[in-house]
Amino acid sequence: MKIDLTDTTASKINKALVKGRRAIGTPAVGMVLTMVIVTDEENAYDSIKAAEEASHEHPSRTLVVIKRHPRTPRERTHSRLDAEVRVGSEAGTGETVILRTYGEVSEHADSVVLPLLLPDAPVVVWWPVDAPQNPVKDPLGALAQRRITDMYAVERPLRALEARVQSYAPGDTDLAWTRLTPWRSMLAAALDQARVPIVSAAVESEADNPSAELLARWLEARLKVPVDRVETAGPVVTAVRLGTAGGEIVIDRPEGPLATLVLPGQPSRTLALKVRPTSELIAEELRRLDADEMYAIALRGEASEESPAHV
């Protein structure tokens, strides 16, 4: 069910949500969090689709904030809020409200979002594109327990990574880090099998890949060895090589969904290591809303004294 509201208010949007739930026969709110997506028109469709697919695992109220750019002097001074309310099958397993802000209200989107948050439920803010330089100090980011950015969406990702190092606050994370979960799991499993000291390491990837740089920094912090960055044709991260006295531990994925694992003195094995869609990445991030200490370590390239030395 869809309800369109023009030149509306947060109060009218809340009434439309109640009306929509009653119309489809589900008056109770069974959602576990509020997801706020801050995006533009170009990326709104893909972002909403990813959030709706993730809502099958994490039923949520999704608030999509789209700041419209004024085209005339009158539009610059005239504030307006339009909304599209989706409930039922139109919104995955939760509710979706698309908020289009015009004029001065665009500068105070938090005042529109705040009355629409689910009471006593965590808030997650996701910027698919155009993330603020300091997410925790952004008015919308300040409302959230979890703030998700994506360095893949910027023109110079490694420069963005350095900005994230300076602005990091507990609750921040980035999808460039989330994409590494299968790599990290396989590397940890390989080291559990090999049980040998690592003396060198290398990460191979396409140029300027933020996931590769985070992976290299994480390995340096956990293994206490320098990590070489090797540029390849890609796509994304293509291989990790860990040197030992008895030979190399290698995970190699030049292309496609399959990787090859090589351990010293053992036959090579084929492993599934696909590039995951955005919906899976978002669903993973919603499973844990506490601070991601490993992401902080990967950003800074160093572990705290209390951190264990294993991967």
PDB file of all heavy atoms in Angstrom, residues 105-141:
ATOM      1  N   VAL A 105      14.089  23.378   4.886  1.00  0.00           N
ATOM      2  CA  VAL A 105      13.888  22.145   5.650  1.00  0.00           C
ATOM      3  C   VAL A 105      14.981  21.125   5.344  1.00  0.00           C
ATOM      4  O   VAL A 105      15.273  20.254   6.185  1.00  0.00           O
ATOM      5  CB  VAL A 105      12.485  21.563   5.364  1.00  0.00           C
ATOM      6  CG1 VAL A 105      12.408  20.976   3.961  1.00  0.00           C
ATOM      7  CG2 VAL A 105      12.115  20.512   6.403  1.00  0.00           C
ATOM      8  N   SER A 106      15.618  21.236   4.179  1.00  0.00           N
ATOM      9  CA  SER A 106      16.717  20.320   3.840  1.00  0.00           C
ATOM     10  C   SER A 106      17.891  20.477   4.790  1.00  0.00           C
ATOM     11  O   SER A 106      18.647  19.530   5.024  1.00  0.00           O
ATOM     12  CB  SER A 106      17.181  20.558   2.401  1.00  0.00           C
ATOM     13  OG  SER A 106      16.164  20.220   1.484  1.00  0.00           O
ATOM     14  N   GLU A 107      18.059  21.690   5.333  1.00  0.00           N
ATOM     15  CA  GLU A 107      19.169  21.934   6.258  1.00  0.00           C
ATOM     16  C   GLU A 107      18.848  21.449   7.667  1.00  0.00           C
ATOM     17  O   GLU A 107      19.717  21.454   8.535  1.00  0.00           O
ATOM     18  CB  GLU A 107      19.492  23.431   6.287  1.00  0.00           C
ATOM     19  CG  GLU A 107      19.817  24.017   4.919  1.00  0.00           C
ATOM     20  CD  GLU A 107      20.969  23.299   4.246  1.00  0.00           C
ATOM     21  OE1 GLU A 107      21.953  22.982   4.959  1.00  0.00           O
ATOM     22  OE2 GLU A 107      20.893  23.052   3.027  1.00  0.00           O
ATOM     23  N   HIS A 108      17.610  21.070   7.907  1.00  0.00           N
ATOM     24  CA  HIS A 108      17.205  20.614   9.242  1.00  0.00           C
ATOM     25  C   HIS A 108      16.437  19.301   9.124  1.00  0.00           C
ATOM     26  O   HIS A 108      15.391  19.122   9.758  1.00  0.00           O
ATOM     27  CB  HIS A 108      16.353  21.682   9.916  1.00  0.00           C
ATOM     28  CG  HIS A 108      17.016  23.028   9.986  1.00  0.00           C
ATOM     29  ND1 HIS A 108      17.998  23.331  10.897  1.00  0.00           N
ATOM     30  CD2 HIS A 108      16.843  24.141   9.210  1.00  0.00           C
ATOM     31  CE1 HIS A 108      18.397  24.576  10.706  1.00  0.00           C
ATOM     32  NE2 HIS A 108      17.721  25.085   9.697  1.00  0.00           N
ATOM     33  N   ALA A 109      16.977  18.368   8.332  1.00  0.00           N
ATOM     34  CA  ALA A 109      16.290  17.095   8.110  1.00  0.00           C
ATOM     35  C   ALA A 109      16.131  16.310   9.397  1.00  0.00           C
ATOM     36  O   ALA A 109      15.195  15.512   9.543  1.00  0.00           O
ATOM     37  CB  ALA A 109      17.044  16.271   7.073  1.00  0.00           C
ATOM     38  N   ASP A 110      17.007  16.543  10.369  1.00  0.00           N
ATOM     39  CA  ASP A 110      16.889  15.819  11.637  1.00  0.00           C
ATOM     40  C   ASP A 110      15.591  16.155  12.365  1.00  0.00           C
ATOM     41  O   ASP A 110      15.020  15.304  13.051  1.00  0.00           O
ATOM     42  CB  ASP A 110      18.094  16.117  12.532  1.00  0.00           C
ATOM     43  CG  ASP A 110      18.291  17.610  12.772  1.00  0.00           C
ATOM     44  OD1 ASP A 110      18.258  18.367  11.789  1.00  0.00           O
ATOM     45  OD2 ASP A 110      18.485  18.018  13.934  1.00  0.00           O
ATOM     46  N   SER A 111      15.093  17.387  12.201  1.00  0.00           N
ATOM     47  CA  SER A 111      13.845  17.768  12.863  1.00  0.00           C
ATOM     48  C   SER A 111      12.648  17.060  12.244  1.00  0.00           C
ATOM     49  O   SER A 111      11.616  16.890  12.895  1.00  0.00           O
ATOM     50  CB  SER A 111      13.651  19.284  12.795  1.00  0.00           C
ATOM     51  OG  SER A 111      13.499  19.714  11.447  1.00  0.00           O
ATOM     52  N   VAL A 112      12.781  16.646  10.973  1.00  0.00           N
ATOM     53  CA  VAL A 112      11.729  15.871  10.319  1.00  0.00           C
ATOM     54  C   VAL A 112      11.821  14.399  10.710  1.00  0.00           C
ATOM     55  O   VAL A 112      10.808  13.739  10.971  1.00  0.00           O
ATOM     56  CB  VAL A 112      11.831  16.018   8.789  1.00  0.00           C
ATOM     57  CG1 VAL A 112      10.799  15.145   8.090  1.00  0.00           C
ATOM     58  CG2 VAL A 112      11.661  17.471   8.374  1.00  0.00           C
ATOM     59  N   VAL A 113      13.046  13.891  10.790  1.00  0.00           N
ATOM     60  CA  VAL A 113      13.262  12.469  11.063  1.00  0.00           C
ATOM     61  C   VAL A 113      12.952  12.120  12.512  1.00  0.00           C
ATOM     62  O   VAL A 113      12.369  11.066  12.804  1.00  0.00           O
ATOM     63  CB  VAL A 113      14.717  12.094  10.699  1.00  0.00           C
ATOM     64  CG1 VAL A 113      15.087  10.720  11.263  1.00  0.00           C
ATOM     65  CG2 VAL A 113      14.898  12.108   9.186  1.00  0.00           C
ATOM     66  N   LEU A 114      13.333  12.993  13.434  1.00  0.00           N
ATOM     67  CA  LEU A 114      13.222  12.679  14.865  1.00  0.00           C
ATOM     68  C   LEU A 114      11.821  12.216  15.286  1.00  0.00           C
ATOM     69  O   LEU A 114      11.691  11.197  15.981  1.00  0.00           O
ATOM     70  CB  LEU A 114      13.671  13.884  15.693  1.00  0.00           C
ATOM     71  CG  LEU A 114      13.799  13.673  17.202  1.00  0.00           C
ATOM     72  CD1 LEU A 114      14.789  12.557  17.514  1.00  0.00           C
ATOM     73  CD2 LEU A 114      14.223  14.968  17.878  1.00  0.00           C
ATOM     74  N   PRO A 115      10.734  12.895  14.885  1.00  0.00           N
ATOM     75  CA  PRO A 115       9.404  12.418  15.313  1.00  0.00           C
ATOM     76  C   PRO A 115       8.984  11.104  14.675  1.00  0.00           C
ATOM     77  O   PRO A 115       7.994  10.498  15.108  1.00  0.00           O
ATOM     78  CB  PRO A 115       8.467  13.551  14.849  1.00  0.00           C
ATOM     79  CG  PRO A 115       9.345  14.712  14.562  1.00  0.00           C
ATOM     80  CD  PRO A 115      10.647  14.152  14.131  1.00  0.00           C
ATOM     81  N   LEU A 116       9.719  10.646  13.640  1.00  0.00           N
ATOM     82  CA  LEU A 116       9.337   9.428  12.932  1.00  0.00           C
ATOM     83  C   LEU A 116      10.128   8.204  13.393  1.00  0.00           C
ATOM     84  O   LEU A 116       9.884   7.095  12.923  1.00  0.00           O
ATOM     85  CB  LEU A 116       9.534   9.613  11.428  1.00  0.00           C
ATOM     86  CG  LEU A 116       8.714  10.743  10.785  1.00  0.00           C
ATOM     87  CD1 LEU A 116       9.087  10.891   9.306  1.00  0.00           C
ATOM     88  CD2 LEU A 116       7.215  10.478  10.922  1.00  0.00           C
ATOM     89  N   LEU A 117      11.068   8.393  14.310  1.00  0.00           N
ATOM     90  CA  LEU A 117      11.856   7.263  14.807  1.00  0.00           C
ATOM     91  C   LEU A 117      10.989   6.358  15.667  1.00  0.00           C
ATOM     92  O   LEU A 117      10.130   6.819  16.417  1.00  0.00           O
ATOM     93  CB  LEU A 117      13.045   7.764  15.631  1.00  0.00           C
ATOM     94  CG  LEU A 117      14.043   8.684  14.937  1.00  0.00           C
ATOM     95  CD1 LEU A 117      15.134   9.117  15.919  1.00  0.00           C
ATOM     96  CD2 LEU A 117      14.663   8.009  13.714  1.00  0.00           C
ATOM     97  N   LEU A 118      11.235   5.060  15.564  1.00  0.00           N
ATOM     98  CA  LEU A 118      10.532   4.121  16.440  1.00  0.00           C
ATOM     99  C   LEU A 118      10.957   4.356  17.884  1.00  0.00           C
ATOM    100  O   LEU A 118      12.152   4.495  18.167  1.00  0.00           O
ATOM    101  CB  LEU A 118      10.856   2.681  16.040  1.00  0.00           C
ATOM    102  CG  LEU A 118      10.299   2.195  14.701  1.00  0.00           C
ATOM    103  CD1 LEU A 118      10.891   0.826  14.373  1.00  0.00           C
ATOM    104  CD2 LEU A 118       8.783   2.116  14.721  1.00  0.00           C
ATOM    105  N   PRO A 119      10.020   4.398  18.824  1.00  0.00           N
ATOM    106  CA  PRO A 119      10.400   4.620  20.225  1.00  0.00           C
ATOM    107  C   PRO A 119      11.184   3.440  20.793  1.00  0.00           C
ATOM    108  O   PRO A 119      10.891   2.281  20.506  1.00  0.00           O
ATOM    109  CB  PRO A 119       9.051   4.788  20.939  1.00  0.00           C
ATOM    110  CG  PRO A 119       8.052   4.106  20.042  1.00  0.00           C
ATOM    111  CD  PRO A 119       8.557   4.274  18.648  1.00  0.00           C
ATOM    112  N   ASP A 120      12.214   3.756  21.571  1.00  0.00           N
ATOM    113  CA  ASP A 120      13.002   2.736  22.297  1.00  0.00           C
ATOM    114  C   ASP A 120      13.599   1.687  21.359  1.00  0.00           C
ATOM    115  O   ASP A 120      13.709   0.509  21.713  1.00  0.00           O
ATOM    116  CB  ASP A 120      12.139   2.034  23.356  1.00  0.00           C
ATOM    117  CG  ASP A 120      11.545   3.014  24.352  1.00  0.00           C
ATOM    118  OD1 ASP A 120      12.275   3.937  24.750  1.00  0.00           O
ATOM    119  OD2 ASP A 120      10.365   2.851  24.702  1.00  0.00           O
ATOM    120  N   ALA A 121      13.978   2.103  20.163  1.00  0.00           N
ATOM    121  CA  ALA A 121      14.593   1.175  19.203  1.00  0.00           C
ATOM    122  C   ALA A 121      15.872   1.802  18.661  1.00  0.00           C
ATOM    123  O   ALA A 121      15.973   3.030  18.549  1.00  0.00           O
ATOM    124  CB  ALA A 121      13.625   0.875  18.054  1.00  0.00           C
ATOM    125  N   PRO A 122      16.879   0.988  18.346  1.00  0.00           N
ATOM    126  CA  PRO A 122      18.123   1.536  17.801  1.00  0.00           C
ATOM    127  C   PRO A 122      17.885   2.258  16.483  1.00  0.00           C
ATOM    128  O   PRO A 122      16.948   1.964  15.742  1.00  0.00           O
ATOM    129  CB  PRO A 122      18.997   0.287  17.592  1.00  0.00           C
ATOM    130  CG  PRO A 122      18.350  -0.796  18.376  1.00  0.00           C
ATOM    131  CD  PRO A 122      16.902  -0.481  18.440  1.00  0.00           C
ATOM    132  N   VAL A 123      18.791   3.201  16.196  1.00  0.00           N
ATOM    133  CA  VAL A 123      18.746   3.969  14.944  1.00  0.00           C
ATOM    134  C   VAL A 123      20.047   3.731  14.186  1.00  0.00           C
ATOM    135  O   VAL A 123      21.140   3.822  14.758  1.00  0.00           O
ATOM    136  CB  VAL A 123      18.561   5.471  15.218  1.00  0.00           C
ATOM    137  CG1 VAL A 123      18.558   6.261  13.902  1.00  0.00           C
ATOM    138  CG2 VAL A 123      17.278   5.718  15.998  1.00  0.00           C
ATOM    139  N   VAL A 124      19.914   3.415  12.909  1.00  0.00           N
ATOM    140  CA  VAL A 124      21.066   3.243  12.018  1.00  0.00           C
ATOM    141  C   VAL A 124      20.931   4.251  10.885  1.00  0.00           C
ATOM    142  O   VAL A 124      19.863   4.371  10.287  1.00  0.00           O
ATOM    143  CB  VAL A 124      21.112   1.809  11.443  1.00  0.00           C
ATOM    144  CG1 VAL A 124      22.271   1.671  10.456  1.00  0.00           C
ATOM    145  CG2 VAL A 124      21.237   0.782  12.553  1.00  0.00           C
ATOM    146  N   VAL A 125      21.994   4.996  10.612  1.00  0.00           N
ATOM    147  CA  VAL A 125      21.999   5.934   9.488  1.00  0.00           C
ATOM    148  C   VAL A 125      22.987   5.425   8.450  1.00  0.00           C
ATOM    149  O   VAL A 125      24.137   5.094   8.768  1.00  0.00           O
ATOM    150  CB  VAL A 125      22.372   7.361   9.934  1.00  0.00           C
ATOM    151  CG1 VAL A 125      22.428   8.298   8.724  1.00  0.00           C
ATOM    152  CG2 VAL A 125      21.355   7.885  10.936  1.00  0.00           C
ATOM    153  N   TRP A 126      22.547   5.382   7.201  1.00  0.00           N
ATOM    154  CA  TRP A 126      23.378   4.895   6.084  1.00  0.00           C
ATOM    155  C   TRP A 126      23.415   5.957   4.998  1.00  0.00           C
ATOM    156  O   TRP A 126      22.379   6.428   4.539  1.00  0.00           O
ATOM    157  CB  TRP A 126      22.788   3.580   5.555  1.00  0.00           C
ATOM    158  CG  TRP A 126      23.410   3.075   4.283  1.00  0.00           C
ATOM    159  CD1 TRP A 126      24.701   3.219   3.869  1.00  0.00           C
ATOM    160  CD2 TRP A 126      22.757   2.329   3.248  1.00  0.00           C
ATOM    161  NE1 TRP A 126      24.904   2.610   2.657  1.00  0.00           N
ATOM    162  CE2 TRP A 126      23.730   2.051   2.248  1.00  0.00           C
ATOM    163  CE3 TRP A 126      21.446   1.855   3.075  1.00  0.00           C
ATOM    164  CZ2 TRP A 126      23.422   1.342   1.096  1.00  0.00           C
ATOM    165  CZ3 TRP A 126      21.148   1.137   1.936  1.00  0.00           C
ATOM    166  CH2 TRP A 126      22.121   0.879   0.958  1.00  0.00           C
ATOM    167  N   TRP A 127      24.638   6.320   4.616  1.00  0.00           N
ATOM    168  CA  TRP A 127      24.856   7.222   3.493  1.00  0.00           C
ATOM    169  C   TRP A 127      25.406   6.407   2.319  1.00  0.00           C
ATOM    170  O   TRP A 127      26.614   6.118   2.281  1.00  0.00           O
ATOM    171  CB  TRP A 127      25.867   8.304   3.848  1.00  0.00           C
ATOM    172  CG  TRP A 127      25.421   9.301   4.880  1.00  0.00           C
ATOM    173  CD1 TRP A 127      24.770  10.476   4.673  1.00  0.00           C
ATOM    174  CD2 TRP A 127      25.640   9.229   6.307  1.00  0.00           C
ATOM    175  NE1 TRP A 127      24.561  11.143   5.862  1.00  0.00           N
ATOM    176  CE2 TRP A 127      25.080  10.396   6.878  1.00  0.00           C
ATOM    177  CE3 TRP A 127      26.254   8.293   7.140  1.00  0.00           C
ATOM    178  CZ2 TRP A 127      25.119  10.641   8.245  1.00  0.00           C
ATOM    179  CZ3 TRP A 127      26.287   8.533   8.501  1.00  0.00           C
ATOM    180  CH2 TRP A 127      25.719   9.698   9.043  1.00  0.00           C
ATOM    181  N   PRO A 128      24.594   6.002   1.352  1.00  0.00           N
ATOM    182  CA  PRO A 128      25.131   5.267   0.195  1.00  0.00           C
ATOM    183  C   PRO A 128      26.113   6.106  -0.624  1.00  0.00           C
ATOM    184  O   PRO A 128      27.042   5.579  -1.220  1.00  0.00           O
ATOM    185  CB  PRO A 128      23.879   4.929  -0.628  1.00  0.00           C
ATOM    186  CG  PRO A 128      22.738   5.049   0.340  1.00  0.00           C
ATOM    187  CD  PRO A 128      23.128   6.118   1.296  1.00  0.00           C
ATOM    188  N   VAL A 129      25.890   7.414  -0.675  1.00  0.00           N
ATOM    189  CA  VAL A 129      26.774   8.355  -1.369  1.00  0.00           C
ATOM    190  C   VAL A 129      26.841   9.633  -0.540  1.00  0.00           C
ATOM    191  O   VAL A 129      26.010   9.865   0.337  1.00  0.00           O
ATOM    192  CB  VAL A 129      26.277   8.689  -2.794  1.00  0.00           C
ATOM    193  CG1 VAL A 129      26.357   7.477  -3.705  1.00  0.00           C
ATOM    194  CG2 VAL A 129      24.852   9.239  -2.752  1.00  0.00           C
ATOM    195  N   ASP A 130      27.838  10.465  -0.837  1.00  0.00           N
ATOM    196  CA  ASP A 130      27.937  11.803  -0.237  1.00  0.00           C
ATOM    197  C   ASP A 130      27.854  11.777   1.287  1.00  0.00           C
ATOM    198  O   ASP A 130      27.100  12.542   1.908  1.00  0.00           O
ATOM    199  CB  ASP A 130      26.840  12.726  -0.796  1.00  0.00           C
ATOM    200  CG  ASP A 130      26.950  12.906  -2.306  1.00  0.00           C
ATOM    201  OD1 ASP A 130      28.082  12.875  -2.818  1.00  0.00           O
ATOM    202  OD2 ASP A 130      25.912  13.066  -2.968  1.00  0.00           O
ATOM    203  N   ALA A 131      28.630  10.913   1.896  1.00  0.00           N
ATOM    204  CA  ALA A 131      28.651  10.859   3.358  1.00  0.00           C
ATOM    205  C   ALA A 131      29.344  12.095   3.918  1.00  0.00           C
ATOM    206  O   ALA A 131      30.255  12.647   3.289  1.00  0.00           O
ATOM    207  CB  ALA A 131      29.389   9.605   3.818  1.00  0.00           C
ATOM    208  N   PRO A 132      28.952  12.550   5.097  1.00  0.00           N
ATOM    209  CA  PRO A 132      29.641  13.696   5.702  1.00  0.00           C
ATOM    210  C   PRO A 132      31.056  13.325   6.110  1.00  0.00           C
ATOM    211  O   PRO A 132      31.360  12.152   6.348  1.00  0.00           O
ATOM    212  CB  PRO A 132      28.773  14.017   6.924  1.00  0.00           C
ATOM    213  CG  PRO A 132      28.087  12.731   7.249  1.00  0.00           C
ATOM    214  CD  PRO A 132      27.851  12.048   5.937  1.00  0.00           C
ATOM    215  N   GLN A 133      31.907  14.328   6.207  1.00  0.00           N
ATOM    216  CA  GLN A 133      33.297  14.063   6.564  1.00  0.00           C
ATOM    217  C   GLN A 133      33.412  13.523   7.985  1.00  0.00           C
ATOM    218  O   GLN A 133      34.285  12.716   8.285  1.00  0.00           O
ATOM    219  CB  GLN A 133      34.133  15.344   6.420  1.00  0.00           C
ATOM    220  CG  GLN A 133      35.620  15.108   6.513  1.00  0.00           C
ATOM    221  CD  GLN A 133      36.402  15.998   5.592  1.00  0.00           C
ATOM    222  OE1 GLN A 133      35.844  16.826   4.893  1.00  0.00           O
ATOM    223  NE2 GLN A 133      37.710  15.835   5.572  1.00  0.00           N
ATOM    224  N   ASN A 134      32.526  13.967   8.861  1.00  0.00           N
ATOM    225  CA  ASN A 134      32.529  13.499  10.238  1.00  0.00           C
ATOM    226  C   ASN A 134      31.125  13.006  10.583  1.00  0.00           C
ATOM    227  O   ASN A 134      30.285  13.771  11.063  1.00  0.00           O
ATOM    228  CB  ASN A 134      32.946  14.631  11.185  1.00  0.00           C
ATOM    229  CG  ASN A 134      33.294  14.120  12.570  1.00  0.00           C
ATOM    230  OD1 ASN A 134      32.817  13.066  12.991  1.00  0.00           O
ATOM    231  ND2 ASN A 134      34.119  14.859  13.282  1.00  0.00           N
ATOM    232  N   PRO A 135      30.826  11.726  10.328  1.00  0.00           N
ATOM    233  CA  PRO A 135      29.445  11.225  10.476  1.00  0.00           C
ATOM    234  C   PRO A 135      28.834  11.446  11.843  1.00  0.00           C
ATOM    235  O   PRO A 135      27.651  11.756  11.952  1.00  0.00           O
ATOM    236  CB  PRO A 135      29.580   9.730  10.158  1.00  0.00           C
ATOM    237  CG  PRO A 135      30.766   9.646   9.261  1.00  0.00           C
ATOM    238  CD  PRO A 135      31.705  10.688   9.778  1.00  0.00           C
ATOM    239  N   VAL A 136      29.605  11.304  12.931  1.00  0.00           N
ATOM    240  CA  VAL A 136      29.021  11.405  14.269  1.00  0.00           C
ATOM    241  C   VAL A 136      28.586  12.832  14.585  1.00  0.00           C
ATOM    242  O   VAL A 136      27.705  13.060  15.425  1.00  0.00           O
ATOM    243  CB  VAL A 136      30.009  10.886  15.337  1.00  0.00           C
ATOM    244  CG1 VAL A 136      31.147  11.878  15.557  1.00  0.00           C
ATOM    245  CG2 VAL A 136      29.292  10.577  16.644  1.00  0.00           C
ATOM    246  N   LYS A 137      29.164  13.821  13.913  1.00  0.00           N
ATOM    247  CA  LYS A 137      28.801  15.216  14.157  1.00  0.00           C
ATOM    248  C   LYS A 137      27.737  15.721  13.182  1.00  0.00           C
ATOM    249  O   LYS A 137      27.277  16.857  13.301  1.00  0.00           O
ATOM    250  CB  LYS A 137      30.036  16.106  14.088  1.00  0.00           C
ATOM    251  CG  LYS A 137      31.004  15.862  15.240  1.00  0.00           C
ATOM    252  CD  LYS A 137      32.145  16.859  15.250  1.00  0.00           C
ATOM    253  CE  LYS A 137      33.046  16.640  16.463  1.00  0.00           C
ATOM    254  NZ  LYS A 137      34.182  17.604  16.504  1.00  0.00           N
ATOM    255  N   ASP A 138      27.341  14.894  12.229  1.00  0.00           N
ATOM    256  CA  ASP A 138      26.248  15.242  11.342  1.00  0.00           C
ATOM    257  C   ASP A 138      24.945  15.212  12.146  1.00  0.00           C
ATOM    258  O   ASP A 138      24.765  14.344  13.007  1.00  0.00           O
ATOM    259  CB  ASP A 138      26.187  14.241  10.189  1.00  0.00           C
ATOM    260  CG  ASP A 138      25.054  14.524   9.228  1.00  0.00           C
ATOM    261  OD1 ASP A 138      25.236  15.360   8.324  1.00  0.00           O
ATOM    262  OD2 ASP A 138      23.979  13.908   9.396  1.00  0.00           O
ATOM    263  N   PRO A 139      24.006  16.148  11.911  1.00  0.00           N
ATOM    264  CA  PRO A 139      22.760  16.155  12.691  1.00  0.00           C
ATOM    265  C   PRO A 139      22.002  14.834  12.652  1.00  0.00           C
ATOM    266  O   PRO A 139      21.444  14.405  13.670  1.00  0.00           O
ATOM    267  CB  PRO A 139      21.951  17.282  12.048  1.00  0.00           C
ATOM    268  CG  PRO A 139      22.985  18.202  11.485  1.00  0.00           C
ATOM    269  CD  PRO A 139      24.088  17.316  11.020  1.00  0.00           C
ATOM    270  N   LEU A 140      21.977  14.166  11.500  1.00  0.00           N
ATOM    271  CA  LEU A 140      21.313  12.864  11.426  1.00  0.00           C
ATOM    272  C   LEU A 140      22.183  11.780  12.045  1.00  0.00           C
ATOM    273  O   LEU A 140      21.688  10.892  12.738  1.00  0.00           O
ATOM    274  CB  LEU A 140      20.982  12.528   9.971  1.00  0.00           C
ATOM    275  CG  LEU A 140      19.833  13.325   9.357  1.00  0.00           C
ATOM    276  CD1 LEU A 140      19.736  13.077   7.857  1.00  0.00           C
ATOM    277  CD2 LEU A 140      18.512  12.989  10.040  1.00  0.00           C
ATOM    278  N   GLY A 141      23.481  11.838  11.805  1.00  0.00           N
ATOM    279  CA  GLY A 141      24.378  10.853  12.394  1.00  0.00           C
ATOM    280  C   GLY A 141      24.360  10.873  13.907  1.00  0.00           C
ATOM    281  O   GLY A 141      24.535   9.837  14.566  1.00  0.00           O
TER     282      GLY A 141
END
